[in-house]
Amino acid sequence: MLKIAVPNKGALSEAAAKILSEAGYKGRRDKELNVVDTVNEVEFFFLRPKDIAIYVAEGRLDLGITGRDLAGDSLADVDEVLGLGFGGSTFRYAAPAGEDWTVEGLNGKRIATSYPNLVRKDIAARGMEAEVIRLDGAVEISIHLGVADVIADVVSTGNTLRQQGLAPFGESILTSEAVVVKRAGRKLGEDAERLLRRIQGILTAHNYLMLDYNIARANLDSVSEMTPGLSGPTISPLSREGWVAVRAMVHRKEANSVMDRLSAAGAEAILASELQIARI
């Protein structure tokens, strides 16, 4: 039976559970530590996101859903097999706003963070040394309390930094999102590949819309460039002489812009519809 680790709480938990449910897998009730899905022959284990990569690397579990930043900081020997597109953030250095900080100036400084291994790796790669202070929470306040000179933390909107009078500097150390990981070098079986295909199908359905429209055949070539689809648009003749119906998938974020351009090019009856599940 396939064994999968899923975040038990936090920002990644709800989105991961929703995707798995939409992919046809049995969900969690209350605060169960594990759920056996006998229909799909999968057992889900609900673990702390920070621990998931470690269990997977040890071979105790076949796959795990966690954050790229968490997997990296764990130093677990895992490989990413699929990015999930949610839980996005950047990991950056930050210091009091208005001060002229550079990454090159971190040599010999005190850096507070909840991700000490990521920071040590970055500092070492730059040929510098610094005192890395591990904190499990409230990293932003550490400068004000005199514990650190700068911090390294996950930044999504940046609101928390601004509230503490901090500003990020330098390039991001890491760009993170939720990912599926496997043990490094481990070959996945068909059951794991099937689960990944299901998840990918749900992600495709989330990110794309189906676009239908009618267009004069004489204008078909020009509008087809606007809606190439994933493997080419579907084109069907209409009873209206000289016209065709076109169907193609478009990225959700681009849908309104594409519809505007189609309308300007003479397309009619332009309709966008939701996708529920896909296999590409």
Side-chain angles (χ1 to χ4, degrees):
M1 180 172 284
L2 192 66
K3 295 182 178 181
I4 311 293
V6 183
N8 64 347
K9 59 182 178 180
L12 304 181
S13 177
E14 184 175 343
K18 184 174 185 295
I19 286 177
L20 290 170
S21 176
E22 291 178 354
Y25 293 100
K26 185 177 179 180
R28 181 190 191 192
R29 294 181 180 179
D30 299 322
K31 294 184 178 181
E32 295 172 308
L33 296 180
N34 66 305
V35 171
V36 177
D37 183 340
T38 55
V39 174
N40 293 296
E41 297 187 334
V42 179
E43 185 172 8
F44 296 101
F45 294 83
F46 297 89
L47 307 171
R48 287 203 324 160
K50 283 189 173 184
D51 298 335
I52 286 176
I54 297 172
Y55 283 106
V56 173
E58 290 291 328
R60 310 299 179 185
L61 302 169
D62 299 292
L63 295 170
I65 297 175
T66 187
R68 180 179 294 130
D69 50 358
L70 296 171
D73 194 64
S74 73
L75 300 182
D77 196 12
V78 295
D79 293 331
E80 289 185 23
V81 293
L82 182 64
L84 299 178
F86 64 85
S89 63
T90 58
F91 186 58
R92 302 188 66 183
Y93 295 109
E99 296 186 9
D100 189 19
W101 279 92
T102 65
V103 176
E104 291 71 22
L106 292 176
N107 195 46
K109 301 300 182 182
R110 299 170 301 164
I111 306 172
T113 183
S114 297
Y115 299 80
N117 291 320
L118 286 180
V119 174
R120 291 189 184 105
K121 182 178 179 180
D122 184 67
I123 292 295
R126 298 175 186 275
M128 300 188 299
E129 294 184 359
E131 180 185 355
V132 180
I133 302 165
R134 175 172 183 166
L135 297 175
D136 287 330
V139 174
E140 298 85 1
I141 201 67
S142 62
I143 298 175
H144 180 71
L145 293 176
V147 174
D149 302 304
V150 301
I151 67 168
D153 203 13
V154 171
V155 180
S156 51
T157 64
N159 289 336
T160 304
L161 290 180
R162 286 191 290 272
Q163 290 171 3
Q164 295 299 323
L166 304 178
F169 64 89
E171 297 181 357
S172 63
I173 306 168
L174 177 73
T175 299
S176 186
E177 66 175 315
V179 295
V180 181
V181 297
K182 69 176 181 67
R183 184 178 183 179
R186 183 172 189 170
K187 182 176 174 57
L188 295 179
E190 175 56 31
D191 50 356
E193 295 287 0
R194 180 170 55 251
L195 179 139
L196 292 173
R197 287 195 297 271
R198 284 195 185 188
I199 292 176
Q200 184 62 70
I202 298 303
L203 296 178
T204 300
H206 286 178
N207 293 326
Y208 285 84
L209 295 173
M210 185 64 72
L211 205 62
D212 292 274
Y213 61 92
N214 300 336
I215 190 73
R217 186 176 288 276
N219 297 331
L220 181 58
D221 289 343
S222 61
V223 296
S224 292
E225 295 177 1
M226 304 178 196
T227 56
L230 298 185
S231 56
T234 299
I235 301 170
S236 307
L238 289 175
S239 58
R240 182 179 179 183
E241 187 174 352
W243 281 66
V244 294
V246 181
R247 164 169 280 201
M249 289 173 61
V250 298
H251 201 283
R252 182 180 295 272
K253 292 181 179 179
E254 301 171 357
N256 280 295
S257 174
V258 171
M259 294 175 79
D260 291 340
R261 292 161 57 200
L262 288 173
S263 181
E268 298 179 359
I270 309 170
L271 304 173
S273 54
E274 295 279 351
L275 299 172
Q276 295 299 317
I277 304 174
R279 294 289 187 278
I280 305 301

